[in-house]
Amino acid sequence: MKLPISLDRPLAFIDTETTGLRPDRDRIVELAVLRFSPDGELFERKRRYNPGIPIPEEASRVHKITDADVADKPPFRRRAVSLAKLLAPCDLAGFNLLAFDLPILLEEFRRAGVRFDVEGRRLVDMQRIFHAKEPRNLEAAVRMYLGREHDDGAHSAEVDARATAEVFCAQLERYQDLPRGLDELHEYCGGDRPFQTPFDRWFQDREGSLVFNQGKHQGRALAEVAEMAPDYLEWMIRTDDIPERVRESAAQALAANGAADGSWDHPPSSDRPGTVEPRRSDPP
């Protein structure tokens, strides 16, 4: 497969199969990466992981991966550093990349203690292109653009990632008005709006302190709210629909209320573009 656009740095298509649809709580059980280099070289890798939690039956019915299939697989953290290095120089692409695959991947990196930054990368989402042109799903995209059914091996991360890349090629061939450069494709897929994880929608980091981005305390520091309105943070912790990491930060703020060292603040979530810095070594 050859991309019909020129690259100035590698472009990695990623697809995940997971335990569910909540990026902040669910885990990756299978990940596929197709990395295209500017010289045309294609590198493919697929890995399965033991998520450390049961895979619900409804998830297994979709991707056909069961607890038994991953019982002897390593957890994500064991391979997090090598994956981050593989993706370090890459722009990223995928189907529903911005709403799901990238947020859950970032959560896995965070839990593994590996910093992985998206700032400065170009992010191209085939679903955004598809929905702008033909608002359907990947199966319909394969049917429309590739003239076949997406049944054999569908919901295997490797097959879905390859189909996504093929759909991207077909989209570029069909829609001659689509940009041919990754900068322009990045903007077309909403790149002019900053990428935000569920955590980012709640908090922003201002010089090492978390500040509310939404809610009745928008603009106020988390430490201030912990001191002046602890009942609000207690409500957040009890609210199941609030992302897990957000509730953890609220709990840490309450626990450290009155501490002078600001130990509740979360560490910086990212390095500069394309860099990888493990905060601890992968387990042997």
Side-chain angles (χ1 to χ4, degrees), residues 76-225:
F76 182 91
R77 67 177 182 272
R78 290 281 298 274
R79 289 173 170 163
V81 170
S82 61
L83 175 61
K85 288 179 179 177
L86 173 67
L87 297 176
C90 299
D91 294 319
L92 302 177
F95 196 94
N96 203 21
L97 174 79
L98 299 175
F100 186 74
D101 292 285
L102 188 52
I104 198 168
L105 182 62
L106 292 176
E107 282 297 310
E108 290 282 28
F109 276 129
R110 181 185 67 82
R111 282 188 289 265
V114 174
R115 296 180 181 178
F116 185 81
D117 190 19
V118 298
E119 184 180 352
R121 300 178 193 270
R122 291 166 292 197
L123 308 176
V124 185
D125 193 327
M126 277 76 264
Q127 189 187 65
R128 294 285 178 92
I129 296 174
F130 184 34
H131 285 179
K133 299 293 185 179
E134 309 286 348
R136 294 174 185 163
N137 57 21
L138 179 58
E139 285 76 11
V142 170
R143 188 180 305 117
M144 171 174 288
Y145 295 112
L146 306 180
R148 67 171 192 256
E149 294 299 320
H150 188 52
D151 290 328
D152 247 355
H155 297 299
S156 154
E158 183 179 20
V159 172
D160 284 357
R162 176 170 284 277
T164 299
E166 291 175 346
V167 164
F168 179 53
C169 295
Q171 286 175 330
L172 288 167
E173 291 175 5
R174 174 174 294 203
Y175 305 121
Q176 293 301 309
D177 60 329
L178 278 179
R180 262 39 189 179
L182 281 179
D183 284 323
E184 294 78 9
L185 283 168
H186 171 71
E187 290 185 11
Y188 190 94
C189 293
D192 55 334
R193 299 186 298 273
F195 174 80
Q196 286 188 317
T197 66
F199 182 86
D200 297 330
R201 285 191 281 274
W202 273 93
F203 296 123
Q204 61 176 294
D205 190 321
R206 291 184 187 171
E207 300 179 348
S209 294
L210 294 182
V211 175
F212 277 92
N213 264 338
Q214 65 178 31
K216 64 187 292 185
H217 295 292
Q218 183 175 1
R220 296 178 67 184
L222 178 57
E224 178 187 356
V225 175

